[in-house]
Amino acid sequence: MEGAEEHQIVIVGGGISGLATALALHRKGIKSVVLERGDSLRDEGGAIGILANGWRALDQLGLSVSDHLRQTAVLIQRSLMISLDDGIQKEFPLGVGETRCVKRGYLINALADALPFGTIRFGCSVISIELDSSTSYFPILHLLGGKTIIAKIVIGCDGGRSVIGKFVGLKPIKQFSHSSVRGLTNYPKGHTFKHEFIRWRKNDSSTLIGRIPIDEQYVYWFVAFKSSSPQVEETWKDNQELVREKISELVSVNKFPEEVIEMIKTSEVESISFTHSLKYRAPWDLVFGSFRKGTITVAGDALHVMGPFLGQGGSAGLEDAIVLARRLSKAGLGGEMEDEMMKKRVGEAMDDYIKERRRRLVGLSTQTYVTGMLIQGLPLFVKIFLILVMRVLFRDVSSHSKYDCGRL
Ligand SMILES: Cc1cc2nc3c(=O)[nH]c(=O)nc-3n(C[C@H](O)[C@H](O)[C@H](O)COP(=O)(O)OP(=O)(O)OC[C@H]3O[C@@H](n4cnc5c(N)ncnc54)[C@H](O)[C@@H]3O)c2cc1C
């Protein structure tokens, strides 16, 4: 195709999973290019909780990345759920190993800084993809602005509304009836909170608030609440000041503890991020879905967007990166290979990746889904049923953090 750029591996999306995938491939000696539609790296969302499985994956990406991040965030010692309806306080196991909450900007930059210069291309928005009959059905990517890129392999890390996911045949994502607001609060003289992840829950208003310290000065918080109409929430978009004001009102009206109200009121306005109706890929779609077409596959939220109820979406994306790079490297990528042989080997490697990840992701997204449904204000008999499901399927509620994605 005249004028088209050619690359062996193109990763679409420069979020956590796209950057982690590029870095995992780089560590295996495989070159890739990351196409990111934004003009810079996105650190929206303030911070991210990383459980033991996520740290294991980060360690595989290099101790220079993981140890650097460890130094930015305190070790969380325990997790508490406080019900404001009856005052009952319950401790939840954090799982074996470390839990820390890392600023998103630090994570994204640590991954990007470890990549060879020029790997990330900003301002490249992929609008469609097709298989080119004139090049043994390798993928062609069409970019906003008319540019075309021919690739041997495409990995879609383009988030929940993935263009690549749609092409490989994934079903549309679904949404919970809850929206969320996240932010960071800076206590310049230091906060006095223990190193604990605390959630306050109010059933009558279906509101859940979480707070987790990042270091001695910063805390990350989130509020999950029943979505209002899309029209109302549309006015919140791109207006962080308004979102902070509305959320402060919501927590005051619902009489959350004074320290929580104060934390939200005094949060850094530029850190505020609003998600209208949290999204998820239905667990049953992960059981049966097809995640590959030719030499194209998906990873991260593009594959398994899930609610934030277990704090595992980002870590699952890190695991994807390790498993996919390991499989592709075993296929002999990095060396010279005939096109037909490459297609066959890459197809097999991607199938192995999908098989390995499907097992993990079906369990993780089912547990996240059921946990999310339990705060949705459902009829009592449905709640009892879901609690029984949890007891049977997820007796050890923190087992999801014990998972080890293995060596790169
Ligand atoms: C409220 C909330 C709280 C959360 N808390 C946690 C937590 O504590 N712990 C945790 O592990 N996870 C958490 N998650 C989940 C986590 O944020 C996501 O799983 C993670 O950010 C997904 O990363 P990703 O790279 O797959 O996708 P994204 O972060 O969506 O990145 C996709 C990237 O692709 C780019 N892109 C999209 N389309 C195109 C295109 N067509 N062409 C080029 N580029 C494109 C986007 O600009 C973006 O940079 C939370 C999520 C939410 C909503």
Side-chain angles (χ1 to χ4, degrees):
M1 188 172 281
E2 225 167 279
E5 244 181 68
E6 290 186 31
H7 294 284
Q8 188 183 44
I9 304 185
V10 171
I11 295 168
V12 181
I16 295 171
S17 66
L19 297 175
T21 304
L23 182 54
L25 289 169
H26 171 61
R27 295 258 185 260
K28 296 301 271 183
I30 303 170
K31 203 172 160 221
S32 66
V33 168
V34 177
L35 305 180
E36 166 55 44
R37 70 177 168 197
D39 294 329
S40 58
L41 294 170
R42 283 175 60 217
D43 61 359
E44 214 174 90
I48 183 166
I50 303 180
L51 306 181
N53 55 304
W55 288 106
R56 277 191 280 273
L58 278 172
D59 284 341
Q60 292 303 312
L61 292 175
L63 291 180
S64 58
V65 173
S66 56
D67 278 350
H68 161 70
L69 291 171
R70 279 185 179 97
Q71 282 161 26
T72 69
V74 297
L75 195 60
I76 301 302
Q77 312 283 1
R78 65 175 188 156
S79 159
L80 293 175
M81 173 76 90
I82 301 170
S83 165
L84 297 179
D85 303 298
D86 49 21
I88 291 177
Q89 180 172 315
K90 219 171 146 186
E91 184 166 346
F92 279 83
L94 270 172
V96 181
E98 58 186 323
T99 299
R100 296 173 198 267
C101 183
V102 170
K103 281 192 182 173
R104 283 197 184 237
Y106 290 171
L107 172 59
I108 288 283
N109 282 313
L111 296 171
D113 290 349
L115 287 169
F117 181 75
T119 302
I120 312 168
R121 306 275 201 87
F122 292 107
C124 293
S125 182
V126 173
I127 50 172
S128 66
I129 180 167
E130 61 178 314
L131 294 175
D132 181 8
S133 54
S134 66
T135 60
S136 320
Y137 294 94
F138 280 118
I140 308 181
L141 294 152
H142 299 283
L143 271 55
L144 194 68
K147 202 170 175 179
T148 300
I149 294 181
I150 299 175
K152 295 272 162 71
I153 295 170
V154 171
I155 304 167
C157 297
D158 47 343
R161 298 189 188 283
S162 169
V163 172
I164 310 301
K166 196 169 170 199
F167 182 78
V168 301
L170 284 171
K171 297 241 174 77
I173 52 175
K174 299 187 163 42
Q175 49 190 45
F176 288 104
S177 61
H178 273 62
S179 295
S180 124
V181 171
R182 295 170 276 176
L184 300 177
T185 305
N186 180 11
Y187 297 82
K189 292 188 182 143
H191 59 74
T192 50
F193 308 130
K194 289 183 182 161
H195 297 174
E196 294 172 339
F197 173 32
I198 303 189
R199 281 166 293 174
W200 293 267
R201 179 177 176 164
K202 211 149 189 259
N203 279 342
D204 54 3
S205 63
S206 260
T207 306
L208 179 78
I209 299 185
R211 180 189 73 199
I212 182 163
I214 296 172
D215 53 25
E216 301 306 340
Q217 217 173 300
Y218 271 92
V219 298
Y220 164 70
W221 55 263
F222 63 82
V223 182
F225 55 100
K226 231 173 173 38
S227 307
S228 341
S229 71
Q231 289 83 349
V232 170
E233 293 194 355
E234 183 62 26
T235 62
W236 294 25
K237 238 173 91 187
D238 306 324
N239 191 343
Q240 291 163 303
E241 196 91 51
L242 178 72
V243 173
R244 186 175 63 176
E245 191 187 310
K246 293 286 178 196
I247 286 302
S248 301
E249 258 171 51
L250 176 88
V251 297
S252 302
V253 167
N254 282 293
K255 299 195 169 40
F256 276 88
E258 206 48 53
E259 64 181 35
V260 172
I261 300 171
E262 203 51 31
M263 170 182 75
I264 295 173
K265 273 190 183 157
T266 58
S267 57
E268 292 185 338
V269 75
E270 63 281 6
S271 74
I272 301 283
S273 138
F274 165 58
T275 310
H276 172 66
S277 295
L278 294 162
K279 315 290 182 301
Y280 68 97
R281 187 167 303 291
W284 46 97
D285 287 342
L286 286 170
V287 177
F288 301 111
S290 143
F291 310 148
R292 167 173 90 89
K293 196 175 218 173
T295 54
I296 306 169
T297 192
V298 279
D301 273 15
L303 170 59
H304 48 67
V305 62
M306 58 184 85
F309 312 107
L310 298 182
Q312 279 287 18
S315 290
L318 294 171
E319 293 171 6
D320 294 342
I322 304 300
V323 177
L324 183 54
R326 180 169 67 221
R327 295 293 185 178
L328 287 176
S329 143
K330 274 189 191 154
L333 282 187
E336 288 295 308
M337 216 189 295
E338 290 284 317
D339 280 356
E340 281 310 311
M341 178 57 79
M342 176 195 258
K343 258 174 57 184
K344 184 172 171 294
R345 289 219 188 144
V346 168
E348 286 167 0
M350 285 183 173
D351 285 345
D352 289 342
Y353 154 73
I354 291 162
K355 196 169 160 202
E356 188 171 341
R357 293 309 289 154
R358 198 190 301 269
R359 251 181 274 146
R360 159 74 168 153
L361 292 169
V362 168
L364 189 58
S365 59
T366 304
Q367 190 176 355
T368 305
Y369 172 75
V370 178
T371 308
M373 291 312 277
L374 284 169
I375 63 154
Q376 302 284 300
L378 300 167
L380 188 63
F381 72 94
V382 181
K383 278 201 170 170
I384 292 171
F385 172 73
L386 290 176
I387 289 168
L388 285 175
V389 170
M390 284 294 275
R391 290 256 161 90
V392 174
L393 294 181
F394 308 106
R395 188 171 285 273
D396 175 1
V397 288
S398 65
S399 63
H400 55 85
S401 66
K402 293 180 185 154
Y403 182 85
D404 186 348
C405 63
R407 294 181 71 87
L408 181 59

